[in-house]
Amino acid sequence: PPSEPMRAAGLILALVTAAGVAAPAGGFRSFEGHGGPVMGLAVSADGAQALTASFDYAVGLWALDEDGPPRWFDGHNAAVNAVAFVPGGRAASGGDDFDVILWDLSTATILHRLSGHRGKVMSVRPSPDGAMLASASWDGTIRLWDTRTGQALAVLDDHEGNVNDIVWAKGGATLYSAGHDGRVIEWDVAAGKPLRHMADHGFGVNVLAIDEARGWLAYGALDGGTRVVDLASGTTLADLTGDRRPVLA
């Protein structure tokens, strides 16, 4: 992994008044420390902290209302692609080493190393109650894990190629996944089975966003396609495509 001096050289992110975080007069703050590109970002529910995942193999925990260096979490053996806060003072990360790691935020120590994927991990998402963690991988699967024991619970396999993103719904009863095959799939978590294809886009789908209260799911794709679909019917509510550049976040 890169050295501390290498980390200190990197400019990693700008948060523009996100999640209720107060910004200085210029409208943004910069946080320096990583020694490579930042691949993933998560902000805590209270807006006080941020997690960053980097190509430098490290996870950083940042206090957004304070100056100073982050707390480093070292445990991956390759680039880290995704991070998430997990209820109960924990965090999760996934990387190019095929591993998912569950962390204790207070001690920066590994609680569980979750191994089983056979490709890079691109997304990690805790269930709303924090009891389960879902991970999406370029091995074509989604894996479900028990966050207390680290035990593997299920493997969801219906995509034809890389799985790029996942989001939970219905209190953890439903999961949506996005893949390089252009599909957005709705899953019954308890049964471990696909319920329907919400979209067959034709180009790889990279990212998902959901608003259950308003009843919609949005996705962004490799061809620039950006669409909002109705959760109940699966029909397209809006096509927000701007140009042909890939939507990555």
Side-chain angles (χ1 to χ4, degrees):
S3 65
E4 290 297 326
M6 183 177 176
R7 276 194 187 140
L11 174 67
I12 65 152
L13 69 114
L15 293 176
V16 184
T17 58
V21 178
F28 66 91
R29 281 183 60 197
S30 297
F31 296 80
E32 298 181 2
H34 277 298
V38 174
M39 313 298 290
L41 170 69
V43 178
S44 62
D46 62 4
Q49 295 177 305
L51 287 164
T52 50
S54 175
F55 198 75
D56 67 5
Y57 300 11
V59 173
L61 176 64
W62 307 78
L64 298 181
D65 59 353
E66 300 175 8
D67 293 325
R71 188 167 199 174
W72 295 114
F73 294 69
D74 293 305
H76 283 283
N77 297 308
V80 189
N81 299 312
V83 283
F85 285 93
V86 179
R90 299 168 295 172
S93 59
D96 280 6
D97 56 2
F98 306 173
D99 280 349
V100 176
I101 297 178
L102 271 169
W103 303 90
D104 184 319
L105 286 177
S106 64
T107 62
T109 56
I110 295 174
L111 294 172
H112 300 289
R113 184 181 295 273
L114 311 178
S115 298
H117 279 300
R118 293 178 293 174
K120 62 174 65 180
V121 178
M122 298 304 295
S123 181
V124 290
R125 308 277 190 182
S127 59
D129 63 1
M132 288 188 289
L133 183 77
S135 54
S137 171
W138 279 14
D139 66 5
T141 69
I142 303 110
R143 288 181 179 259
L144 302 179
W145 314 87
D146 184 311
T147 61
R148 183 180 62 84
T149 65
Q151 180 181 358
L153 299 175
V155 179
L156 310 183
D157 186 359
D158 193 49
H159 282 283
E160 297 178 0
N162 305 342
V163 187
N164 296 319
D165 202 8
I166 40 181
V167 293
W168 292 88
K170 298 180 181 177
T174 299
L175 195 69
Y176 295 95
S177 61
H180 189 68
D181 55 7
R183 296 174 180 171
V184 177
I185 299 176
E186 179 182 5
W187 298 88
D188 181 323
V189 172
K193 301 294 184 181
L195 293 173
R196 58 176 170 164
H197 291 178
M198 295 290 290
D200 284 290
H201 184 69
F203 290 85
V205 179
N206 294 325
V207 291
L208 297 172
I210 191 170
D211 189 327
E212 281 194 271
R214 291 180 171 84
W216 57 257
L217 178 75
Y219 68 83
L222 190 63
D223 66 337
T226 307
R227 293 193 173 92
V228 183
V229 298
D230 183 82
L231 285 173
S233 66
T235 58
T236 299
L237 298 175
D239 187 340
L240 306 177
T241 304
D243 56 34
R244 307 299 291 182
R245 301 178 197 176
V247 178
L248 302 176

